[in-house]
């Protein structure tokens, strides 16, 4: 896979803010820092957001893109095909869009992701747990045009071991979407959205082991579009997509608060406002099988390439000798397995598990449940 420059480039900061310089480990070794309130001298004087926010933006954008595609593109194709082909696909048994122009859906996803990235032998590892609740409704016009809107709430909890702290964020999302069925096989969809987020951040001071805290707000936008294809062959259902995703977040400036000792040592950071963005190309395929009794297992593989990405490196937030906080890889493969169950009373249930492969020192596991009904 191709490599670009490192995702995160920290701004140069005065040397006096580095209380505990990193000891460079020999090649193949990793320096495991001890950072807690008893052994606080080993804590890096770095804010959590400089390390974690890029991956958080990427995982959130991916989840919204997938939900928008499922609602706006693929559902139109499946239901139109189901109405045309009847029992051959098994999709007409309760999906309801074939006989109703209104749809209502709800979605919950849980994503745990972590990074084991190390720079010059010093660990910048973190663990994150993300929750996302989405719900929405849409209407089909003339069997060809779909319009809908989704509303959501998300919260993210991150533990950053390198500074003994973490970062929590939460906020609301609104995302309208639309789709056009171009033919019996092809469709195109477009979605966009806005999220208002609040961040709470904390870490341990390398001066005296006390807490250092900060709060700030941010605004996040995304836009995604996909060209989709769908083709039933006997009991198999084949799908494909080519898509584009752009997501951007503007974070407010903030001033950390802490003890007098931390202030006197120059450890409390004044972090400037910053903009982080991500632009991705997405190519994927799906195969599903009508197993009978309204049960349909499926497998999805998607390749995602970061066409561009930034972390707003002018904001700083890490010790001055750190020039990278994430590996420079720029692509991944998302592998998904799951099933759909179509009830006879108009409710469709979908469950899926997704894993990210190909990112250096990064792991992600996502679990998603979706309910949809016709009105």
């Amino acid at each position: 896979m191709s490599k670009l420059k490192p995702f995160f480039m920290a701004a140069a900061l005065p040397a006096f803010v580095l209380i505990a310089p990193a000891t460079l480990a020999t090649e193949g070794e990793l320096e495991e820092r001890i950072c807690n309130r008893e052994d606080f001298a080993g804590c890096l004087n770095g804010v959590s957001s400089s390390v974690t926010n890029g991956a958080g933006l990427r995982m959130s954008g991916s989840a919204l893109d997938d939900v928008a595609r499922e609602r706006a593109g693929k559902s139109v194709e499946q239901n139109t095909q189901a109405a045309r082909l009847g029992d051959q696909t098994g999709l007409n048994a309760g999906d309801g869009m074939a006989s109703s122009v209104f749809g209502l859906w709800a979605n919950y996803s849980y994503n745990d992701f972590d990074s084991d990235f190390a720079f010059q032998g010093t660990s910048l590892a973190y663990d994150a747990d993300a929750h996302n609740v989405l719900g929405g409704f849409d209407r089909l016009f003339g069997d060809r045009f779909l319009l809908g809107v989704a509303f959501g709430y998300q919260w993210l909890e991150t533990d950053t071991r390198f500074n003994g702290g973490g970062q929590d964020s939460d906020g609301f999302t609104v995302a309208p979407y639309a789709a056009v069925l171009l033919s019996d096989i092809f469709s195109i969809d477009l979605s966009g959205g806005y999220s208002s987020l609040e961040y709470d951040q904390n870490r341990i001071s390398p001066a005296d082991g006390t807490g250092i805290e900060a709060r700030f707000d941010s605004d996040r936008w995304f836009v995604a579009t996909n060209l989709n294809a769908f083709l039933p062959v006997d009991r198999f259902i084949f799908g494909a997509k080519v898509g584009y995703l752009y997501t951007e977040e503007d974070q407010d400036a903030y001033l950390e608060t802490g003890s007098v000792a931390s202030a006197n040592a120059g450890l409390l950071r004044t972090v400037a406002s910053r903009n982080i963005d991500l632009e991705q190309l997405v190519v994927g395929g799906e195969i599903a099988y009508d197993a009978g009794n309204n049960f349909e297992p499926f497998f999805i593989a998607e390749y995602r390439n970061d066409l561009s990405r930034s972390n707003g490196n002018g904001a700083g937030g890490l010790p001055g000798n750190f020039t990278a906080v994430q590996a420079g890889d720029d692509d991944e493969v998302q592998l998904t397995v799951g099933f759909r169950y179509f009830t006879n009373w108009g409710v469709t249930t979908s469950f899926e598990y997704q894993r990210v492969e190909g990112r250096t020192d990064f792991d992600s596991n996502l679990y998603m449940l979706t309910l949809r009904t016709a009105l």
Side-chain angles (χ1 to χ4, degrees):
M1 295 182 179
S2 61
K3 305 293 180 184
L4 293 179
K5 63 182 181 180
F7 191 4
F8 287 120
M9 301 297 293
L13 295 173
F16 69 85
V17 301
L18 182 55
I19 295 298
T23 301
L24 301 186
T26 59
E27 186 175 358
E29 295 181 352
L30 175 64
E31 180 193 6
E32 290 291 345
R33 287 177 174 271
I34 299 175
C35 176
N36 54 50
R37 295 189 181 274
E38 289 72 34
D39 297 297
F40 52 82
C43 300
L44 282 178
N45 184 44
V47 301
S48 301
S49 58
S50 291
V51 175
T52 64
N53 280 177
L57 180 71
R58 188 174 77 243
M59 300 312 297
S60 175
S62 172
L64 286 170
D65 175 48
D66 284 345
V67 170
R69 171 180 61 88
E70 189 72 17
R71 302 280 67 78
K74 200 163 182 299
S75 292
V76 178
E77 300 163 15
Q78 287 183 341
N79 286 283
T80 301
Q81 293 288 357
R84 184 173 63 86
L85 299 174
D87 292 336
Q88 181 178 348
T89 66
L91 292 175
N92 64 322
D95 195 273
M97 284 287 288
S99 59
S100 175
V101 297
F102 291 97
L104 180 68
W105 58 271
N107 170 280
Y108 168 75
S109 64
Y110 167 71
N111 184 202
D112 70 88
F113 58 93
D114 61 81
S115 171
D116 294 321
F117 178 71
F119 179 72
Q120 294 185 348
T122 299
S123 174
L124 294 174
Y126 66 84
D127 301 288
D129 295 293
H131 305 263
N132 197 14
V133 178
L134 283 169
F137 60 92
D138 45 52
R139 179 178 178 179
L140 188 64
F141 295 87
D143 296 327
R144 292 183 58 86
F145 303 97
L146 181 77
L147 291 178
V149 63
F151 302 92
Y153 176 73
Q154 58 184 293
W155 65 101
L156 174 66
E157 300 173 349
T158 308
D159 293 324
T160 47
R161 299 192 295 272
F162 60 88
N163 63 7
Q167 183 186 75
D168 297 336
S169 67
D170 68 290
F172 294 92
T173 298
V174 57
Y177 55 87
V180 180
L181 185 64
L182 302 176
S183 69
D184 288 341
I185 296 176
F186 296 103
S187 74
I188 188 170
D189 66 71
L190 175 67
S191 59
Y194 166 77
S195 300
S196 177
L197 303 173
E198 296 181 351
Y199 287 88
D200 288 305
Q201 195 164 264
N202 66 87
R203 61 188 180 95
I204 294 176
S205 170
D208 59 0
T210 58
I212 295 177
E213 298 181 348
R215 293 185 177 182
F216 60 95
D217 298 328
S218 73
D219 297 304
R220 181 184 294 173
W221 296 266
F222 87 94
V223 61
T225 185
N226 300 286
L227 175 63
N228 310 288
F230 169 77
L231 181 65
V233 179
D234 296 327
R235 287 185 171 268
F236 289 93
I237 303 124
F238 298 94
K241 62 170 282 190
V242 177
Y244 171 83
L245 167 69
Y246 179 81
T247 181
E248 174 181 329
E249 182 172 331
D250 292 325
Q251 298 180 351
D252 292 344
Y254 63 89
L255 172 64
E256 291 186 311
T257 60
S259 67
V260 174
S262 298
N264 291 338
L267 300 178
L268 303 182
R269 299 299 185 90
T270 300
V271 179
S273 60
R274 68 175 185 166
N275 171 273
I276 55 177
D277 57 47
L278 172 68
E279 186 180 20
Q280 281 189 337
L281 172 69
V282 185
V283 180
E286 174 180 351
I287 181 170
Y289 180 71
D290 173 17
N293 297 317
N294 301 333
F295 182 74
E296 182 184 286
F298 62 86
F299 171 76
I300 302 172
E302 289 186 357
Y303 171 74
R304 292 177 174 265
N305 183 272
D306 302 339
L307 301 176
S308 68
R309 58 184 182 182
S310 69
N311 73 317
N313 53 6
L318 280 176
N321 67 333
F322 279 80
T323 59
V325 295
Q326 185 165 320
D329 53 349
D330 66 346
D331 53 7
E332 68 185 45
V333 175
Q334 292 184 355
L335 302 176
T336 304
V337 294
F339 67 86
R340 303 181 185 95
Y341 180 72
F342 306 92
T343 70
N344 293 318
W345 54 87
V347 177
T348 301
T349 301
S350 175
F351 176 79
E352 59 190 81
Y353 164 73
Q354 179 187 100
R355 180 166 177 82
V356 170
E357 297 288 350
R359 296 279 182 179
T360 303
D361 301 315
F362 180 84
D363 291 300
S364 171
N365 298 279
L366 181 141
Y367 307 85
M368 182 182 296
L369 176 67
T370 303
L371 300 176
R372 182 178 179 87
T373 185
L375 297 179

